[in-house]
Amino acid sequence: MSETPQNPSSESPDFAAMTRDIAEVPAVEVIVTVAVNLMSAAAVKLGLTEDGDKHKDLDEARKLVHALAGLLDAGATEVSSFHAAPLRDGLKSLQLAFREASLIPDEPGQGPGEKYTGPVYG
């Protein structure tokens, strides 16, 4: 007997609709959405949420902050300063939070994302 559902269309996503939906979204909106998701995940991993230390993981936070810095560095010329400025401010806040949360802080210029943003002093 096959374990394939009797009505596969009821359980599978509508890829045509998803493709149509993403085709209507401007690139700037996709970039900003990804950046905000990275910021949110980094904030959780830095313990900046209500649960604080429950989800704190500085190794994971480092990766997320670094990825966010790379995205903003690469996408800065593609998004307007209207979008880029608050994202850069958020990134710097996360970098400072990372520095404060670290038991042994990185040297200036060696923290997450600082290869893209330059040294962050806290």
Side-chain angles (χ1 to χ4, degrees):
M1 289 264 144
S2 172
E3 293 187 24
T4 306
Q6 294 297 334
N7 188 0
S9 64
S10 67
E11 293 184 24
S12 64
D14 182 359
F15 290 111
M18 289 174 19
T19 301
R20 184 178 58 251
D21 291 344
I22 199 71
E24 296 170 3
V25 179
V28 170
E29 196 171 317
V30 173
I31 293 167
V32 170
T33 299
V34 170
V36 169
N37 285 329
L38 286 168
M39 290 173 110
S40 298
V44 169
K45 296 297 185 178
L46 284 167
L48 302 177
T49 61
E50 282 184 24
D51 294 334
D53 289 338
K54 183 178 177 183
H55 302 290
K56 190 173 184 178
D57 184 336
L58 294 183
D59 184 50
E60 291 290 302
R62 177 184 292 277
K63 293 171 187 170
L64 292 163
V65 172
H66 190 76
L68 174 62
L71 173 66
L72 295 182
D73 184 55
T77 59
E78 305 303 323
V79 299
S80 67
S81 60
F82 174 80
H83 295 293
L87 294 173
R88 283 192 200 108
D89 289 344
L91 171 60
K92 185 168 185 172
S93 294
L94 290 169
Q95 289 172 313
L96 288 169
F98 185 91
R99 185 167 293 285
E100 291 174 9
S102 298
L103 295 175
I104 303 171
D106 296 315
E107 292 293 320
Q110 301 301 310
E114 291 183 24
K115 106 178 195 182
Y116 300 109
T117 63
V120 173
Y121 300 96

